[in-house]
Amino acid sequence: MQYKTYPAPAALKSYVRYFWSCDSFDEQAPKVRIKSFADRFPRLVYQNLHEFDPLRNAQGRDVPYCYVCGVDTQHTETSMGGRFSHFGVSFYPNAMHAFFKISANELVNETVEMNLFSKTGIHIKLDNAASHYERIEILSRYLYDKLFYANKEESLIRGMMACDELNSETNLFALQKKYKISERQLERKFKSTVGVSPKKLQRIIRFEEALNRLSSADYKQLGAIAYALNYSDQSHFNKDFKSFSGMTPLEFIKTGNVGGDSSSFIYTGD
């Protein structure tokens, strides 16, 4: 399997983290299951189905060959054959609202066909592209053209994201005071622009920090990691981690098959 990331153009860096591709050309490769975790970064995914296998959801149905999804607050599972070719974009949390001018909470935990968002046939252009590099050019032009002047609400949240003002330890009351807004106003702005409340986003960020620590840890360090992440005890750590990943921290350590993109998924055999 070949996983690669490609930098975003300067004009899109406030919204696009990077482009990526993931390919497997081995004719003998076994079927793959992908366990995806909660993830604060929305994405656009294109599947090349020309002689390659499609993703299938937990119910066995094909996933759209070109789709977008918003912030994920829960774990999911998909599967596919051993040969595949995928390309995509990893966005910052505020990007769906900026590009598609919809309330981001409509996309939380949703997978939506790209042709419902675009009448320009962007999915067909991606399908006709000769390489991932050509897809980067196509999507960069498309996304740049989608950027109009941001409204005040989106600019506020984008500014917070750019300055990394919201992390797992941010004092939300201090943030409200700085921007002279109420708790309810802050929550409304986040749900519209990002899709979830600031408290929910903080929990996902802390979960991501746990994933990063666990990726190079062993079971003897679980108590120390729970303490470092400010959980009251290891039991609360285990419960929170399982709600976002579908497995305990110890089960995650034992897998040893972490995928790319912020350790937000793992590959397992059929």
Side-chain angles (χ1 to χ4, degrees):
M1 183 180 69
Q2 302 171 7
Y3 177 80
K4 294 179 63 176
T5 60
Y6 314 83
L12 296 175
K13 282 188 174 180
S14 293
Y15 303 94
V16 174
R17 297 170 69 214
Y18 52 78
F19 297 92
W20 59 267
S21 62
C22 191
D23 302 293
S24 175
F25 306 114
D26 185 356
E27 295 281 355
Q28 306 303 317
K31 186 177 179 180
V32 173
R33 283 191 300 156
I34 305 173
K35 294 184 177 181
S36 300
F37 306 147
D39 189 355
R40 64 181 156 135
F41 300 113
R43 54 199 175 278
L44 183 156
V45 178
Y46 160 77
Q47 302 183 75
N48 182 352
L49 299 185
H50 300 289
E51 302 180 7
F52 292 99
D53 297 313
L55 279 168
R56 292 187 172 88
N57 61 24
Q59 291 73 45
R61 294 191 290 271
D62 288 358
V63 174
Y65 83 89
C66 190
Y67 64 89
V68 294
C69 49
V71 172
D72 284 328
T73 66
Q74 59 192 26
H75 54 90
T76 58
E77 187 168 315
T78 52
S79 64
M80 60 187 171
R83 294 182 73 253
F84 55 86
S85 181
H86 297 166
F87 171 80
V89 189
S90 179
F91 296 107
Y92 285 106
N94 57 300
M96 294 294 95
H97 179 81
F99 285 124
F100 301 111
K101 303 299 181 287
I102 64 169
S103 181
N105 63 354
E106 296 180 21
L107 285 176
V108 174
N109 299 324
E110 294 292 337
T111 297
V112 182
E113 290 187 50
M114 186 62 197
N115 61 358
L116 298 178
F117 283 92
S118 173
K119 304 304 180 185
T120 64
I122 185 66
H123 55 298
I124 298 174
K125 294 176 183 178
L126 293 174
D127 203 34
N128 291 333
S131 68
H132 292 318
Y133 290 102
E134 187 175 337
R135 292 185 180 102
I136 292 172
E137 293 180 3
I138 290 170
L139 265 181
S140 293
R141 288 196 299 268
Y142 170 77
L143 293 173
Y144 182 79
D145 288 343
K146 296 287 287 184
L147 277 182
F148 300 101
Y149 290 106
N151 61 36
K152 185 176 180 180
E153 186 170 278
E154 193 277 321
S155 296
L156 173 67
I157 303 302
R158 176 160 49 89
M160 290 183 187
M161 298 292 173
C163 297
D164 198 26
E165 288 190 283
L166 186 81
N167 55 54
S168 62
E169 299 179 0
T170 298
N171 184 309
L172 294 181
F173 179 75
L175 202 60
Q176 295 162 29
K177 187 175 180 180
K178 176 180 178 179
Y179 288 100
K180 297 180 175 60
I181 55 178
S182 68
E183 179 181 6
R184 177 172 291 185
Q185 286 175 318
L186 184 66
E187 182 166 322
R188 180 185 61 79
K189 292 178 187 297
F190 263 83
K191 284 188 175 181
S192 174
T193 306
V194 176
V196 296
S197 69
K199 289 182 179 179
K200 188 79 166 187
L201 192 63
Q202 283 185 305
R203 285 185 60 206
I204 297 175
I205 292 172
R206 183 163 66 164
F207 166 68
E208 291 173 353
E209 292 171 358
L211 285 175
N212 290 332
R213 290 172 182 267
L214 291 170
S215 296
S216 58
D218 61 46
Y219 72 95
K220 296 178 182 178
Q221 298 171 288
L222 291 178
I225 291 174
Y227 177 78
L229 294 173
N230 295 317
Y231 283 98
S232 56
D233 54 45
Q234 191 172 329
S235 175
H236 282 86
F237 173 41
N238 290 349
K239 182 179 179 180
D240 207 40
F241 189 90
K242 190 168 185 177
S243 72
F244 287 133
S245 69
M247 60 179 66
T248 65
L250 180 57
E251 289 170 335
F252 176 78
I253 288 175
K254 288 180 177 179
T255 62
N257 293 313
V258 179
D261 204 4
S262 303
S263 300
S264 61
F265 57 88
I266 57 174
Y267 291 98
T268 62
D270 187 24

